[in-house]
Coordinates of all heavy atoms in Angstrom, one line a residue:
V1479 N 3.1 -24.6 5.0 CA 3.1 -23.2 4.6 C 1.7 -22.7 4.6 O 0.8 -23.4 3.9 CB 3.8 -23.0 3.3 CG1 3.7 -21.6 2.8 CG2 5.3 -23.4 3.4
A1480 N 1.4 -21.6 5.2 CA 0.1 -21.0 5.1 C 0.1 -20.0 3.9 O 1.0 -19.3 3.7 CB -0.3 -20.3 6.4
Y1481 N -0.9 -20.1 3.1 CA -0.9 -19.2 1.9 C -2.0 -18.1 2.1 O -2.9 -18.3 2.8 CB -1.3 -20.0 0.7 CG -0.2 -21.0 0.3 CD1 -0.2 -22.3 0.7 CD2 0.9 -20.5 -0.4 CE1 0.9 -23.1 0.4 CE2 2.0 -21.4 -0.8 CZ 1.9 -22.7 -0.3 OH 3.0 -23.5 -0.7
P1482 N -1.9 -17.0 1.4 CA -0.8 -16.6 0.5 C 0.4 -16.1 1.3 O 0.3 -15.6 2.4 CB -1.5 -15.4 -0.3 CG -2.5 -14.9 0.7 CD -3.0 -16.0 1.5
V1483 N 1.6 -16.2 0.6 CA 2.8 -15.7 1.1 C 3.5 -15.0 -0.1 O 3.5 -15.5 -1.2 CB 3.7 -16.9 1.6 CG1 5.1 -16.4 1.9 CG2 3.1 -17.6 2.7
C1484 N 4.1 -13.9 0.3 CA 4.9 -13.1 -0.8 C 6.4 -13.6 -0.7 O 7.0 -13.6 0.4 CB 4.8 -11.6 -0.5 SG 5.7 -10.6 -1.6
L1485 N 7.0 -13.9 -1.8 CA 8.3 -14.4 -1.8 C 9.3 -13.2 -2.2 O 10.5 -13.2 -1.8 CB 8.5 -15.6 -2.8 CG 7.7 -16.8 -2.4 CD1 7.8 -17.8 -3.5 CD2 8.0 -17.3 -1.0
A1486 N 8.8 -12.3 -3.0 CA 9.7 -11.2 -3.5 C 8.8 -10.2 -4.1 O 7.6 -10.4 -4.4 CB 10.7 -11.7 -4.5
G1487 N 9.4 -9.0 -4.3 CA 8.6 -7.9 -5.0 C 9.5 -6.8 -5.3 O 10.7 -6.8 -5.0
E1488 N 8.9 -5.8 -5.9 CA 9.7 -4.6 -6.3 C 8.8 -3.3 -6.0 O 7.6 -3.4 -6.2 CB 10.0 -4.6 -7.8 CG 11.0 -5.7 -8.2 CD 11.3 -5.6 -9.7 OE1 10.8 -4.8 -10.4 OE2 12.1 -6.5 -10.1
L1489 N 9.5 -2.3 -5.6 CA 8.9 -1.0 -5.5 C 7.8 -0.9 -4.4 O 7.2 -1.9 -4.1 CB 8.4 -0.4 -6.8 CG 9.3 -0.5 -8.0 CD1 8.6 -0.1 -9.3 CD2 10.5 0.4 -7.7
A1490 N 7.6 0.3 -3.9 CA 6.6 0.6 -2.9 C 5.2 0.6 -3.6 O 5.1 1.0 -4.8 CB 6.9 1.9 -2.2
C1491 N 4.2 0.3 -2.9 CA 2.9 0.4 -3.5 C 2.4 1.9 -3.4 O 2.9 2.7 -2.6 CB 1.9 -0.5 -2.7 SG 1.5 0.0 -1.0
P1492 N 1.5 2.3 -4.3 CA 0.9 3.6 -4.2 C 0.2 3.9 -2.9 O -0.4 3.0 -2.3 CB -0.1 3.6 -5.4 CG 0.3 2.5 -6.3 CD 0.9 1.5 -5.4
H1493 N 0.2 5.1 -2.5 CA -0.5 5.5 -1.3 C -2.0 5.5 -1.6 O -2.4 5.7 -2.7 CB -0.1 7.0 -0.9 CG 1.1 7.0 0.0 ND1 2.3 6.7 -0.5 CD2 1.2 7.3 1.3 CE1 3.2 6.8 0.5 NE2 2.5 7.2 1.6
E1494 N -2.8 5.2 -0.6 CA -4.2 5.2 -0.7 C -4.7 6.6 -1.1 O -4.1 7.6 -0.7 CB -4.7 5.0 0.7 CG -6.0 4.3 1.0 CD -6.3 3.1 0.2 OE1 -5.6 2.1 0.1 OE2 -7.4 3.1 -0.4
D1495 N -5.6 6.7 -2.0 CA -6.2 7.9 -2.5 C -5.2 8.8 -3.2 O -5.3 10.1 -3.1 CB -6.9 8.7 -1.3 CG -8.1 8.0 -0.7 OD1 -8.7 7.2 -1.5 OD2 -8.3 8.2 0.4
C1496 N -4.3 8.3 -3.9 CA -3.3 9.1 -4.6 C -3.8 9.4 -6.1 O -3.1 10.1 -6.8 CB -1.9 8.5 -4.6 SG -1.7 7.1 -5.7
G1497 N -4.9 8.8 -6.5 CA -5.4 9.1 -7.8 C -5.1 8.0 -8.8 O -5.0 8.3 -10.0
G1498 N -5.0 6.8 -8.4 CA -4.7 5.7 -9.3 C -3.3 5.7 -9.9 O -2.4 6.4 -9.3
V1499 N -3.1 5.0 -11.0 CA -1.8 4.9 -11.6 C -1.2 6.3 -12.0 O -0.1 6.6 -11.7 CB -1.8 4.0 -12.8 CG1 -0.5 4.0 -13.5 CG2 -2.2 2.6 -12.4
W1500 N -2.1 7.1 -12.6 CA -1.6 8.4 -13.1 C -1.3 9.3 -12.0 O -0.4 10.1 -12.0 CB -2.6 9.0 -14.1 CG -3.0 8.0 -15.2 CD1 -4.2 7.5 -15.5 CD2 -2.1 7.3 -16.1 NE1 -4.2 6.6 -16.5 CE2 -2.9 6.4 -16.8 CE3 -0.7 7.3 -16.3 CZ2 -2.3 5.5 -17.8 CZ3 -0.2 6.4 -17.2 CH2 -1.0 5.6 -18.0
G1501 N -2.2 9.3 -10.9 CA -1.9 10.1 -9.8 C -0.6 9.7 -9.0 O 0.1 10.6 -8.5
Y1502 N -0.4 8.4 -9.0 CA 0.9 7.9 -8.4 C 2.1 8.4 -9.1 O 3.1 8.9 -8.5 CB 0.9 6.4 -8.3 CG 2.1 5.8 -7.6 CD1 2.3 6.2 -6.3 CD2 2.9 4.9 -8.2 CE1 3.4 5.6 -5.6 CE2 4.0 4.4 -7.6 CZ 4.3 4.7 -6.3 OH 5.4 4.2 -5.6
Y1503 N 2.1 8.4 -10.5 CA 3.2 8.9 -11.3 C 3.4 10.4 -11.0 O 4.5 10.9 -10.9 CB 3.0 8.6 -12.7 CG 3.3 7.2 -13.1 CD1 2.4 6.4 -13.8 CD2 4.4 6.5 -12.7 CE1 2.6 5.1 -14.1 CE2 4.7 5.2 -13.0 CZ 3.8 4.5 -13.7 OH 4.0 3.2 -14.0
Q1504 N 2.3 11.1 -10.9 CA 2.3 12.6 -10.6 C 2.9 12.8 -9.2 O 3.8 13.7 -9.0 CB 1.0 13.2 -10.7 CG 1.0 14.7 -10.5 CD -0.3 15.4 -10.6 OE1 -1.3 14.7 -10.9 NE2 -0.3 16.7 -10.5
L1505 N 2.5 12.0 -8.3 CA 3.0 12.1 -6.9 C 4.5 11.9 -6.9 O 5.3 12.6 -6.3 CB 2.3 11.0 -6.0 CG 2.8 10.9 -4.6 CD1 1.6 10.8 -3.6 CD2 3.7 9.8 -4.4
L1506 N 5.0 10.9 -7.7 CA 6.5 10.6 -7.7 C 7.2 11.8 -8.4 O 8.3 12.2 -7.9 CB 6.7 9.3 -8.5 CG 6.2 8.0 -7.9 CD1 6.5 6.9 -8.8 CD2 6.8 7.8 -6.5
D1507 N 6.6 12.4 -9.4 CA 7.2 13.6 -10.0 C 7.3 14.7 -9.1 O 8.4 15.4 -9.0 CB 6.4 14.0 -11.3 CG 6.6 13.1 -12.4 OD1 7.5 12.2 -12.4 OD2 5.7 13.1 -13.3
V1508 N 6.3 15.0 -8.3 CA 6.3 16.1 -7.3 C 7.3 15.8 -6.2 O 8.1 16.7 -5.8 CB 4.9 16.3 -6.7 CG1 4.9 17.2 -5.5 CG2 3.9 16.7 -7.8
L1509 N 7.4 14.6 -5.7 CA 8.4 14.3 -4.7 C 9.8 14.4 -5.2 O 10.7 14.7 -4.4 CB 8.1 12.8 -4.2 CG 6.9 12.7 -3.3 CD1 6.7 11.2 -3.0 CD2 6.9 13.5 -2.1
A1510 N 10.0 14.1 -6.5 CA 11.4 14.1 -7.0 C 11.8 15.6 -7.3 O 13.1 15.8 -7.4 CB 11.5 13.3 -8.3
D1511 N 10.9 16.5 -7.4 CA 11.2 17.9 -7.7 C 11.0 18.8 -6.5 O 9.9 19.2 -6.2 CB 10.3 18.4 -8.8 CG 10.6 19.8 -9.3 OD1 11.5 20.4 -8.7 OD2 9.9 20.3 -10.2
K1512 N 12.1 19.1 -5.8 CA 12.1 19.9 -4.5 C 11.6 21.3 -4.8 O 11.2 22.0 -3.9 CB 13.4 19.9 -3.8 CG 13.7 18.5 -3.3 CD 14.9 18.5 -2.4 CE 15.2 17.1 -2.0 NZ 15.6 16.8 -0.7
K1513 N 11.7 21.8 -6.0 CA 11.2 23.1 -6.4 C 9.7 23.1 -6.8 O 9.2 24.2 -7.0 CB 12.1 23.7 -7.5 CG 13.5 23.9 -7.0 CD 14.3 24.5 -8.1 CE 15.8 24.7 -7.7 NZ 16.6 25.3 -8.7
H1514 N 9.1 22.0 -6.9 CA 7.7 21.9 -7.3 C 6.9 22.6 -6.2 O 7.1 22.5 -5.0 CB 7.3 20.5 -7.5 CG 5.9 20.3 -8.1 ND1 4.7 20.6 -7.5 CD2 5.6 20.0 -9.4 CE1 3.7 20.3 -8.3 NE2 4.3 20.0 -9.5
K1515 N 5.9 23.4 -6.6 CA 5.0 24.1 -5.7 C 4.3 23.2 -4.7 O 3.9 23.7 -3.6 CB 4.1 25.0 -6.4 CG 3.0 24.3 -7.2 CD 2.1 25.3 -8.0 CE 1.1 24.5 -8.8 NZ 0.1 25.4 -9.4
E1516 N 4.0 22.0 -5.0 CA 3.3 21.1 -4.1 C 4.3 20.1 -3.4 O 3.8 19.3 -2.6 CB 2.3 20.2 -5.0 CG 1.3 21.0 -5.7 CD 0.2 21.5 -4.7 OE1 -0.2 20.8 -3.8 OE2 -0.2 22.7 -4.9
H1517 N 5.6 20.3 -3.5 CA 6.5 19.3 -3.0 C 6.4 19.2 -1.4 O 6.2 18.1 -0.9 CB 8.0 19.7 -3.3 CG 9.0 18.8 -2.7 ND1 9.2 17.5 -3.2 CD2 9.7 18.9 -1.6 CE1 10.1 16.9 -2.5 NE2 10.4 17.7 -1.5
E1518 N 6.4 20.3 -0.7 CA 6.3 20.2 0.7 C 5.0 19.6 1.2 O 4.9 18.8 2.1 CB 6.5 21.6 1.3 CG 6.6 21.5 2.9 CD 7.0 22.9 3.5 OE1 7.7 23.7 2.8 OE2 6.6 23.1 4.6
K1519 N 3.9 20.0 0.6 CA 2.6 19.5 1.0 C 2.5 18.0 0.7 O 2.0 17.3 1.6 CB 1.5 20.3 0.1 CG 0.1 19.8 0.4 CD -0.9 20.6 -0.5 CE -2.3 20.1 -0.5 NZ -3.1 20.8 -1.4
V1520 N 2.9 17.6 -0.4 CA 2.9 16.1 -0.8 C 3.8 15.3 0.1 O 3.5 14.2 0.6 CB 3.2 15.9 -2.3 CG1 3.3 14.4 -2.6 CG2 2.0 16.5 -3.1
S1521 N 5.0 15.9 0.4 CA 5.9 15.2 1.3 C 5.3 15.0 2.7 O 5.5 13.9 3.2 CB 7.2 16.0 1.4 OG 7.9 16.1 0.2
Q1522 N 4.6 16.0 3.2 CA 4.0 15.8 4.5 C 2.8 14.8 4.4 O 2.7 14.0 5.3 CB 3.4 17.1 4.9 CG 4.5 18.1 5.4 CD 3.9 19.5 5.8 OE1 2.7 19.7 5.6 NE2 4.8 20.3 6.2
W1523 N 2.1 14.8 3.3 CA 1.0 13.9 3.1 C 1.5 12.4 3.1 O 0.8 11.5 3.7 CB 0.2 14.2 1.8 CG -1.0 13.3 1.6 CD1 -2.1 13.3 2.3 CD2 -1.1 12.3 0.6 NE1 -3.0 12.3 1.8 CE2 -2.4 11.7 0.8 CE3 -0.2 11.8 -0.4 CZ2 -2.8 10.7 -0.1 CZ3 -0.7 10.8 -1.2 CH2 -2.0 10.3 -1.0
V1524 N 2.6 12.1 2.5 CA 3.1 10.7 2.4 C 3.9 10.4 3.6 O 4.3 9.2 3.7 CB 3.9 10.5 1.1 CG1 3.0 10.6 -0.1 CG2 5.1 11.3 1.0
G1525 N 4.2 11.3 4.5 CA 4.9 11.0 5.7 C 6.4 11.4 5.7 O 7.1 11.0 6.6
G1526 N 6.8 12.0 4.7 CA 8.2 12.5 4.6 C 9.2 11.5 4.2 O 10.1 11.8 3.5
G1527 N 9.2 10.3 4.7 CA 10.2 9.3 4.5 C 9.8 8.3 3.4 O 10.4 7.2 3.4
F1528 N 8.9 8.7 2.5 CA 8.5 7.7 1.5 C 9.6 7.5 0.5 O 10.2 8.4 -0.1 CB 7.2 8.2 0.8 CG 6.8 7.4 -0.3 CD1 6.2 6.1 -0.1 CD2 6.8 7.8 -1.6 CE1 5.8 5.3 -1.1 CE2 6.4 7.0 -2.7 CZ 5.9 5.8 -2.4
D1529 N 9.9 6.2 0.3 CA 10.9 5.8 -0.7 C 10.2 4.9 -1.7 O 9.9 3.7 -1.4 CB 12.1 5.0 0.0 CG 13.1 4.5 -1.0 OD1 13.0 4.8 -2.2 OD2 14.0 3.9 -0.6
P1530 N 10.0 5.4 -2.9 CA 9.3 4.6 -3.9 C 10.0 3.3 -4.4 O 9.4 2.4 -4.9 CB 9.1 5.5 -5.1 CG 10.1 6.6 -4.9 CD 10.3 6.7 -3.5
E1531 N 11.3 3.3 -4.1 CA 12.1 2.1 -4.5 C 12.1 1.0 -3.4 O 12.6 -0.1 -3.7 CB 13.6 2.5 -4.7 CG 13.7 3.5 -5.9 CD 13.4 2.9 -7.2 OE1 13.8 1.8 -7.5 OE2 12.8 3.6 -8.0
R1532 N 11.6 1.3 -2.3 CA 11.6 0.3 -1.2 C 10.5 -0.7 -1.3 O 9.4 -0.3 -1.5 CB 11.5 1.1 0.2 CG 11.6 0.2 1.4 CD 11.7 1.1 2.6 NE 11.8 0.3 3.8 CZ 10.8 -0.1 4.5 NH1 9.5 0.2 4.2 NH2 10.9 -0.9 5.6
F1533 N 10.9 -1.9 -1.0 CA 9.9 -3.0 -0.9 C 10.2 -3.8 0.3 O 11.4 -4.3 0.5 CB 9.9 -3.9 -2.2 CG 8.9 -5.0 -2.1 CD1 7.5 -4.7 -2.4 CD2 9.2 -6.3 -1.7 CE1 6.6 -5.8 -2.3 CE2 8.3 -7.3 -1.6 CZ 7.0 -7.0 -1.9
D1534 N 9.3 -4.0 1.2 CA 9.5 -4.8 2.4 C 8.7 -6.1 2.4 O 7.5 -6.0 2.7 CB 9.1 -3.9 3.6 CG 9.5 -4.5 5.0 OD1 9.8 -5.7 5.0 OD2 9.5 -3.7 6.0
V1535 N 9.3 -7.2 2.1 CA 8.6 -8.4 1.9 C 8.0 -8.9 3.3 O 7.0 -9.5 3.4 CB 9.5 -9.5 1.3 CG1 10.6 -10.0 2.2 CG2 8.7 -10.7 0.8
E1536 N 8.8 -8.6 4.4 CA 8.3 -8.9 5.7 C 7.0 -8.2 6.1 O 6.1 -8.7 6.7 CB 9.3 -8.7 6.8 CG 10.5 -9.8 6.6 CD 11.6 -9.6 7.7 OE1 11.3 -8.9 8.7 OE2 12.7 -10.1 7.4
A1537 N 6.9 -6.9 5.7 CA 5.7 -6.1 6.0 C 4.6 -6.6 5.2 O 3.4 -6.7 5.7 CB 6.0 -4.6 5.6
V1538 N 4.8 -7.0 3.9 CA 3.8 -7.5 3.1 C 3.2 -8.8 3.7 O 2.0 -9.0 3.8 CB 4.3 -7.8 1.6 CG1 3.2 -8.6 0.8 CG2 4.6 -6.4 0.9
N1539 N 4.1 -9.7 4.1 CA 3.7 -11.0 4.7 C 3.0 -10.7 6.0 O 2.1 -11.5 6.4 CB 4.9 -11.9 4.8 CG 5.2 -12.6 3.5 OD1 4.4 -12.9 2.8 ND2 6.5 -12.7 3.3
G1540 N 3.3 -9.7 6.8 CA 2.6 -9.4 8.0 C 1.1 -9.0 7.6 O 0.2 -9.4 8.3
H1541 N 1.0 -8.2 6.6 CA -0.4 -7.8 6.1 C -1.2 -9.1 5.7 O -2.4 -9.2 5.9 CB -0.3 -6.8 5.0 CG 0.1 -5.4 5.5 ND1 -0.6 -4.7 6.4 CD2 1.2 -4.7 5.2 CE1 0.0 -3.5 6.6 NE2 1.2 -3.6 5.9
L1542 N -0.5 -9.9 4.9 CA -1.2 -11.1 4.5 C -1.5 -12.1 5.6 O -2.6 -12.7 5.6 CB -0.3 -11.9 3.5 CG 0.0 -11.2 2.1 CD1 1.0 -11.9 1.3 CD2 -1.3 -11.1 1.3
A1543 N -0.7 -12.1 6.6 CA -1.0 -13.0 7.8 C -2.2 -12.4 8.5 O -3.1 -13.2 9.0 CB 0.2 -13.0 8.8
A1544 N -2.3 -11.1 8.7 CA -3.5 -10.5 9.3 C -4.7 -10.8 8.5 O -5.8 -11.1 9.0 CB -3.2 -9.0 9.4
W1545 N -4.6 -10.7 7.2 CA -5.7 -11.0 6.3 C -6.2 -12.5 6.5 O -7.3 -12.8 6.6 CB -5.4 -10.7 4.9 CG -6.5 -11.1 3.9 CD1 -7.5 -10.3 3.6 CD2 -6.6 -12.3 3.1 NE1 -8.3 -11.0 2.7 CE2 -7.7 -12.2 2.4 CE3 -5.8 -13.4 3.0 CZ2 -8.1 -13.2 1.5 CZ3 -6.2 -14.4 2.1 CH2 -7.4 -14.3 1.4
R1546 N -5.2 -13.4 6.5 CA -5.5 -14.8 6.8 C -6.2 -15.0 8.1 O -7.2 -15.8 8.2 CB -4.2 -15.7 6.7 CG -3.7 -15.9 5.3 CD -2.6 -17.0 5.3 NE -1.6 -16.8 6.3 CZ -0.4 -16.1 6.0 NH1 -0.3 -15.6 4.8 NH2 0.5 -16.0 6.9
G1547 N -5.8 -14.3 9.1 CA -6.4 -14.4 10.4 C -7.9 -13.9 10.4 O -8.8 -14.5 10.9
Y1548 N -8.1 -12.8 9.6 CA -9.4 -12.3 9.5 C -10.3 -13.3 8.7 O -11.4 -13.6 9.1 CB -9.4 -11.0 8.7 CG -10.7 -10.5 8.2 CD1 -11.7 -10.0 9.1 CD2 -11.1 -10.7 6.9 CE1 -12.9 -9.6 8.6 CE2 -12.3 -10.3 6.4 CZ -13.2 -9.7 7.3 OH -14.5 -9.4 6.8
Q1549 N -9.8 -13.9 7.7 CA -10.5 -14.9 6.9 C -10.9 -16.1 7.7 O -12.0 -16.6 7.6 CB -9.7 -15.3 5.6 CG -9.6 -14.2 4.6 CD -11.0 -13.7 4.1 OE1 -11.8 -14.5 3.8 NE2 -11.1 -12.4 3.9
A1550 N -9.9 -16.5 8.6 CA -10.2 -17.7 9.4 C -11.3 -17.4 10.4 O -12.2 -18.2 10.7 CB -8.9 -18.1 10.1
R1551 N -11.2 -16.2 11.0 CA -12.3 -15.8 12.0 C -13.6 -15.7 11.3 O -14.7 -16.1 11.8 CB -11.9 -14.5 12.7 CG -10.8 -14.7 13.7 CD -10.5 -13.4 14.5 NE -10.3 -12.2 13.7 CZ -9.1 -11.9 13.1 NH1 -8.1 -12.6 13.4 NH2 -9.0 -10.8 12.4
R1552 N -13.6 -15.2 10.1 CA -14.9 -15.0 9.4 C -15.5 -16.4 9.0 O -16.7 -16.6 9.1 CB -14.6 -14.2 8.1 CG -15.8 -13.9 7.3 CD -15.4 -12.9 6.2 NE -16.5 -12.7 5.4 CZ -16.5 -12.6 4.1 NH1 -15.3 -12.7 3.4 NH2 -17.6 -12.4 3.4
A1553 N -14.6 -17.3 8.6 CA -15.1 -18.7 8.2 C -15.6 -19.4 9.5 O -16.5 -20.3 9.3 CB -14.0 -19.4 7.6
A1554 N -15.1 -19.1 10.6 CA -15.5 -19.8 11.9 C -16.8 -19.3 12.4 O -17.4 -20.0 13.2 CB -14.4 -19.7 12.9
R1555 N -17.3 -18.2 12.0 CA -18.5 -17.6 12.5 C -19.7 -18.5 12.0 O -19.7 -18.9 10.8 CB -18.7 -16.2 12.1 CG -17.8 -15.2 12.8 CD -18.3 -13.8 12.5 NE -18.3 -13.5 11.1 CZ -17.8 -12.4 10.5 NH1 -17.3 -11.5 11.2 NH2 -17.9 -12.2 9.2
P1556 N -20.7 -18.6 12.8 CA -21.9 -19.3 12.3 C -22.5 -18.5 11.1 O -22.6 -17.3 11.1 CB -22.9 -19.3 13.5 CG -22.0 -18.9 14.7 CD -20.8 -18.2 14.2
Q1557 N -23.0 -19.2 10.1 CA -23.6 -18.6 9.0 C -25.0 -18.2 9.3 O -25.8 -18.9 9.9 CB -23.6 -19.6 7.8 CG -22.2 -19.9 7.3 CD -21.5 -18.8 6.8 OE1 -22.0 -18.0 6.0 NE2 -20.2 -18.6 7.1
R1558 N -25.4 -17.0 8.9 CA -26.7 -16.5 9.1 C -27.6 -17.0 8.0 O -27.2 -17.1 6.8 CB -26.8 -15.0 9.1 CG -26.0 -14.4 10.2 CD -26.2 -12.9 10.3 NE -26.0 -12.3 9.0 CZ -26.0 -11.0 8.7 NH1 -26.1 -10.1 9.7 NH2 -25.8 -10.5 7.5
K1559 N -28.8 -17.4 8.4 CA -29.8 -17.8 7.3 C -30.5 -16.6 6.9 O -31.0 -15.7 7.7 CB -30.7 -18.8 7.9 CG -30.0 -20.1 8.2 CD -31.0 -21.2 8.7 CE -30.3 -22.5 9.0 NZ -31.1 -23.5 9.3
L1560 N -30.7 -16.5 5.6 CA -31.4 -15.3 5.1 C -32.9 -15.6 4.9 O -33.4 -16.6 4.7 CB -30.8 -14.9 3.7 CG -29.4 -14.5 3.8 CD1 -28.8 -14.2 2.4 CD2 -29.2 -13.3 4.7

């Protein structure tokens, strides 16, 4: 087994640049309220099909595999002397 590997998880991760934990909670509130003045704008920003309850372990493991590949390529490069 190549590490790291994700075995399980819960919920979708926050979108990049959503304002941290508090911004993410605000984003969820806006998405849940179709009458909110920012609902349409925020829905478009997140891509319309965002499901905060969704967790895709295969997608996470795909990202981790890409990261492992990057780390392996980085380790194989000759080290520069300073």
Side-chain angles (χ1 to χ4, degrees):
V1479 174
Y1481 292 96
V1483 173
C1484 179
L1485 301 176
E1488 294 181 0
L1489 308 175
C1491 67
H1493 275 66
E1494 210 44 53
D1495 295 332
C1496 72
V1499 173
W1500 310 121
Y1502 183 59
Y1503 285 129
Q1504 182 178 4
L1505 178 136
L1506 295 178
D1507 289 343
V1508 170
L1509 289 175
D1511 182 2
K1512 293 188 184 218
K1513 294 181 180 180
H1514 193 283
K1515 64 181 180 179
E1516 298 287 319
H1517 178 80
E1518 188 171 330
K1519 179 181 169 184
V1520 171
S1521 292
Q1522 289 177 355
W1523 181 70
V1524 298
F1528 177 66
D1529 178 3
E1531 298 293 321
R1532 184 171 180 268
F1533 180 82
D1534 186 346
V1535 71
E1536 290 180 19
V1538 170
N1539 281 322
H1541 290 294
L1542 291 172
W1545 178 80
R1546 283 192 307 271
Y1548 167 77
Q1549 291 297 321
R1551 288 187 304 277
R1552 186 172 173 220
R1555 287 191 304 222
Q1557 297 296 317
R1558 296 186 313 189
K1559 292 185 180 184
L1560 300 177

